[in-house]
Amino acid sequence: MPSKGVQVEGYCQQYELETVKMWHQSFQRAMGLEEHNRFHELTDHLEYFRSMDPSQSKVAVEMSSAKIVGLLTMSDEELINLFVHVDFQRRGIGKLLLLEAKRQSPEGFFLHTCVKNSQAQTLYLTQGFSEVERSYASAEGNPWATSKEQLADIKYQWSANGYCLP
């Protein structure tokens, strides 16, 4: 059951810094990286986030505190970002965001996750996704990576009818 007291709503600029900090920390934890909020890295993430169409993103907000606890970014048939605040993981927020993604793309969509992110893999498999490919992400777009293993990537797909998308 999705997390009680959490609501998914459209992203707006007032959430920018809190969203990027949450996303940054969640990514660092998933990848086993040193957790920090170095100004230059947050600035880079803010620039990347600002380059995206804000209408493609939704945030999960804990209603009692108005805290950003999740991020979902969709583009056509691709889920680009799904991150949950490290203090709110395993509370159904990832499932809630995936339900929103399925609502936005009812025919189906795909996503990528890092091989190191076993928690995300478990979530996707329990929510009806199928693994369709393994590869390596580009080191060029991932300056945090210090080894090829960190770039190992899995492509998952979800479709309403359970079949692969064309």
Side-chain angles (χ1 to χ4, degrees):
M1 164 156 253
S3 186
K4 211 172 186 185
V6 173
Q7 180 176 315
V8 177
E9 54 186 64
Y11 169 80
C12 60
Q13 192 173 6
Q14 74 186 41
Y15 298 139
E16 180 179 79
L17 185 58
E18 186 180 357
T19 301
V20 168
K21 283 182 175 180
M22 179 276 306
W23 167 33
H24 188 73
Q25 185 181 27
S26 178
F27 177 78
Q28 290 169 337
R29 176 87 45 98
M31 294 304 295
L33 301 171
E34 172 196 359
E35 292 183 35
H36 60 79
N37 281 320
R38 291 188 186 110
F39 180 75
H40 73 280
E41 286 188 25
L42 285 176
T43 302
D44 290 347
H45 282 114
L46 276 169
E47 286 179 29
Y48 169 75
F49 199 67
R50 287 174 181 159
S51 74
M52 297 169 56
D53 178 354
S55 69
Q56 294 177 323
S57 293
K58 302 270 184 172
V59 289
V61 181
E62 181 191 45
M63 299 313 292
S64 65
S65 66
K67 183 176 194 142
I68 303 299
V69 297
L71 169 67
L72 168 72
T73 307
M74 296 286 297
S75 175
D76 299 322
E77 293 180 344
E78 181 180 9
L79 189 154
I80 299 169
N81 294 308
L82 189 143
F83 289 97
V84 175
H85 191 291
V86 295
D87 295 335
F88 289 81
Q89 293 179 0
R90 299 187 179 268
R91 296 186 188 183
I93 296 167
K95 290 177 188 175
L96 181 66
L97 291 169
L98 285 175
L99 286 172
E100 177 62 24
K102 289 174 180 180
R103 187 192 66 72
Q104 286 184 38
S105 296
E107 296 301 312
F109 58 92
F110 67 93
L111 60 87
H112 291 87
T113 193
C114 297
V115 169
K116 287 189 75 157
N117 193 349
S118 60
Q119 189 170 324
Q121 293 170 48
T122 300
L123 172 65
Y124 300 138
L125 291 172
T126 62
Q127 296 305 303
F129 288 77
S130 299
E131 180 180 324
V132 293
E133 183 178 276
R134 287 190 181 230
S135 61
Y136 289 92
S138 167
E140 183 179 320
N142 297 298
W144 52 268
T146 58
S147 70
K148 186 175 180 180
E149 290 72 33
Q150 288 178 314
L151 296 169
D153 191 60
I154 303 173
K155 180 178 181 179
Y156 286 100
Q157 179 180 293
W158 174 81
S159 66
N161 62 16
Y163 299 107
C164 290
L165 298 172

